[in-house]
Amino acid sequence: MTTSAPDDANAPSDAQSSLVRNRGFQRFYGTRVLSSLAFQMLAVAMGWHIYALTHSAFALGLVGLAQFLPMFLLTLVVGHVADRYDRRRIASTCQVIECAAALTFAAGTVGGWLSAPLIYALAACVGAARAFESPAVSSLLPGVVPRPQLPNATAWSTSANQTANIVGPALGGLLYGLGPSHAFIACTIAFALAAVLSGTIPLRAKPPSRAPVTLESVFSGIAFIRSQPVILGALSLDLFAVLFGGATALLPVFARDILHAGPIALGLLRSASAAGALAGSIWLAHFPLRNRPGMAMFGGVIVFGFATIAFGLSHNIAISLVALAVLGASDVVSVVVRTSLVQLRTPDEKLGRVSAVNSMFIGTSNQLGEFESGLTAGWWGAQPAVLVGGVATICVALLWMRFFPALRDTRTLEREETPRATASAN
């Protein structure tokens, strides 16, 4: 009895050490960093280039729409592919396609033939590749680390994304300032390295078996989510919150016309939210959400809304950077809770299809949110559009607390036994 306390006290550090030494997780972490780094650099370069060509906020929204449509249309297909084939090969193939798109951007800027329609077409190509890549990579993690380490690994995986989201936009803005082709060439290299790492991740379990394709199996991911009010509530809350509150598509407008800065400042603005998210994800990796994760998610979304309002009101770049950092830190709570719920409450044989629907929700909130922001900014102006979005985000969080009491009252990330099941077990 007297010797158990030190062992318990050392358990978190032992788990952290085991996770760090896991060769599969090292490569998984590396591919997440490199792929996210490349995508963020590409987003900055595409955004600045299309705005420089068109001087239109609506054109920025069209880039987001071009990325969203393939993700939405391919949702059912990509989930089934992730559950039937080697997820490592899927991820690697998608990153090779993204590498080719970035190389085309580089050649187009050097040759001077990169037009707005071509940018939309390449954005759609990248969106289609990421539609397959996202569920494949997300559903890889349970095969890389033991189940008890999943929440911790999810937080560190989120920190990998956020690290790339900090470095990527800043580096993309800096390289674009030196010359547009520099940013696109860096994206090409990063995507290529990510593809190599993805294909060599060792798995603890065999790749998923190739089950026969039926209409029921294709829609089983959606059916499973509908049967789980906690997961449905978490996904839909994140979807509508970021759909209304996302201001990232308008950052080129804020950087150039409101804050009167250049592409390097645009990179810093895109990095600020990721810096806050990185700090939040590192905190959650060391201090996981063990009690009332649903309420933590609702609190994070409400703070996200207030931070969006603060950013929309700001004319000072320092205040804008702080507001975006708070926005990122609050958003990561929602990301970690949502991802952990999906991974811990979904059977592995359905994880690819459920992750695909999850990715579609994320894509809807991000890419379609960019289109919504560009559209409303074209109607009302950039600042009113962001302010309305922040208010709408807070309203969504308050409404969802009433619509999804199961999420609000959930006590743990793991599946909870119903009282009837507990009684029968006793």
Side-chain angles (χ1 to χ4, degrees):
M1 297 292 290
T2 57
T3 60
S4 61
D7 291 339
D8 292 341
N10 291 331
S13 61
D14 291 343
Q16 296 278 6
S17 178
S18 175
L19 189 63
V20 170
R21 292 194 305 267
N22 186 319
R23 187 163 59 94
F25 184 72
Q26 290 171 358
R27 295 187 182 183
F28 177 88
Y29 191 94
T31 194
R32 290 300 295 268
V33 168
L34 287 167
S35 181
S36 296
L37 179 74
F39 182 72
Q40 291 300 324
M41 287 193 292
L42 189 61
V44 168
M46 278 195 304
W48 191 267
H49 204 83
I50 193 69
Y51 193 64
L53 284 175
T54 64
H55 301 284
S56 168
F58 183 69
L60 288 169
L62 288 178
V63 172
L65 181 63
Q67 293 181 75
F68 162 74
L69 285 177
M71 184 175 296
F72 176 76
L73 296 174
L74 294 170
T75 297
L76 298 178
V77 176
V78 301
H80 223 288
V81 169
D83 281 336
R84 297 186 74 239
Y85 299 98
D86 191 330
R87 293 161 181 167
R88 298 167 298 180
R89 292 184 180 180
I90 297 170
S92 184
T93 301
C94 292
Q95 288 155 355
V96 168
I97 294 172
E98 290 161 343
C99 176
L103 186 59
T104 305
F105 270 113
T109 55
V110 171
W113 43 264
L114 190 62
S115 63
L118 181 58
I119 291 176
Y120 300 143
L122 289 172
C125 180
V126 171
R130 291 189 73 81
F132 283 91
E133 179 188 355
S134 294
V137 173
S138 297
S139 53
L140 263 177
L141 193 55
V144 174
V145 301
R147 185 179 181 86
Q149 293 183 353
L150 266 178
N152 200 15
T154 298
W156 280 115
S157 175
T158 303
S159 77
N161 274 338
Q162 303 309 333
T163 300
N165 291 349
I166 295 170
V167 178
L171 184 59
L174 176 62
L175 292 174
Y176 191 95
L178 296 175
S181 62
H182 293 71
F184 293 123
I185 290 171
C187 294
T188 302
I189 295 171
F191 276 131
L193 293 174
V196 172
L197 285 177
S198 293
T200 58
I201 296 173
L203 298 180
R204 299 174 60 253
K206 293 181 179 180
S209 59
R210 300 185 180 185
V213 179
T214 64
L215 189 62
E216 181 181 359
S217 68
V218 168
F219 286 93
S220 62
I222 296 175
F224 178 81
I225 290 173
R226 289 185 60 188
S227 70
Q228 302 292 318
V230 172
I231 295 179
L232 177 61
L235 294 182
S236 57
L237 172 62
D238 187 77
L239 184 154
F240 286 105
V242 180
L243 176 65
F244 293 128
T248 54
L250 301 178
L251 289 183
V253 181
F254 276 82
R256 184 166 179 163
D257 299 338
I258 296 174
L259 300 174
H260 305 292
I264 295 177
L266 171 61
L268 292 175
L269 288 171
R270 290 190 71 101
S271 296
S273 60
L278 175 62
S281 60
I282 291 176
W283 174 270
L284 291 174
H286 286 91
F287 304 98
L289 292 170
R290 302 188 186 280
N291 300 313
R292 305 297 298 276
M295 284 303 299
M297 185 176 186
F298 282 116
V301 171
I302 291 172
V303 173
F304 180 92
F306 279 113
T308 300
I309 293 172
F311 173 75
L313 292 172
S314 171
H315 285 81
N316 180 281
I317 192 166
I319 295 175
S320 297
L321 290 172
V322 171
L324 288 172
V326 173
L327 182 150
S330 57
D331 182 51
V332 81
V333 176
S334 174
V335 171
V336 170
V337 171
R338 184 193 69 237
T339 305
S340 297
L341 286 171
V342 168
Q343 291 179 339
L344 289 171
R345 299 192 178 206
T346 305
D348 185 67
E349 64 273 12
K350 294 183 179 179
L351 189 54
R353 279 160 285 182
V354 174
S355 296
V357 179
N358 180 30
S359 296
M360 188 272 289
F361 273 64
I362 296 170
T364 300
S365 60
N366 290 333
Q367 275 73 52
L368 191 58
E370 290 182 7
F371 176 70
E372 180 270 338
S373 296
L375 186 64
T376 54
W379 291 340
W380 307 327
Q383 286 186 293
V386 171
L387 293 174
V388 170
V391 173
T393 298
I394 296 171
C395 293
V396 165
L398 296 176
L399 286 173
W400 256 237
M401 291 178 71
R402 181 177 179 84
F403 293 161
F404 292 93
L407 175 61
R408 182 193 65 210
D409 299 332
T410 188
R411 296 168 295 176
T412 176
L413 293 170
E414 292 275 4
R415 182 189 295 272
E416 299 177 64
E417 293 185 356
T418 62
R420 180 180 296 178
T422 304
S424 62
N426 291 334

